[in-house]
């Protein structure tokens, strides 16, 4: 499924429920953060290696997939409501990141 198709699916879902009136930049940005926090909570007390192991299979993996889907759904809704071209936004940001973090300086390090 393309990004454009995902935008249509999310918009249809929102529209069928008449939720556009609740989708202000404030509310949607908060919802993105809330869902991201729910994703983080799944890994809260795990070590680095435990978190990698838990993502291989099982209930934590299934819950993580649901939470990242929620993050993405709200991010798409944010873009839909605010006329943001997701592909262009990511492309432009990656170009900024390439300049800010040149591979020859940052390869293998933070």
């Amino acid at each position: 499924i393309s990004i454009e198709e995902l935008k249509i699916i999310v918009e249809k879902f929102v529209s069928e429920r008449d939720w556009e009136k609740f989708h202000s930049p404030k509310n949607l940005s908060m919802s993105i953060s809330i869902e991201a926090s729910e994703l983080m909570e799944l890994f809260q007390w795990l070590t680095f290696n435990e978190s990698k192991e838990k993502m291989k299979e099982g209930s934590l993996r299934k819950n993580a997939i649901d939470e990242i889907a929620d993050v993405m759904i709200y991010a798409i809704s944010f873009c839909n409501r605010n006329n943001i071209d997701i592909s262009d936004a990511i492309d432009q940001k990656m170009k900024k990141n390439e300049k800010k973090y040149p591979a020859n300086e940052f390869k293998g390090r933070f």
Side-chain angles (χ1 to χ4, degrees), residues 53-103:
E53 191 63 32
K54 294 276 189 179
M55 280 305 294
K56 290 181 181 175
E57 62 182 337
S59 63
L60 187 139
R61 177 179 172 77
K62 290 175 185 172
N63 290 333
I65 290 168
D66 283 346
E67 296 304 340
I68 197 65
D70 286 339
V71 170
M72 297 302 296
I73 290 164
Y74 278 120
I76 290 169
S77 290
F78 186 92
C79 291
N80 283 347
R81 288 281 74 72
N82 294 286
N83 197 29
I84 296 170
D85 182 313
I86 298 168
S87 297
D88 186 56
I90 292 171
D91 183 52
Q92 294 304 311
K93 182 60 178 178
M94 291 306 297
K95 287 176 182 173
K96 288 179 184 178
N97 287 343
E98 287 172 0
K99 288 180 183 175
K100 187 174 182 179
Y101 305 106

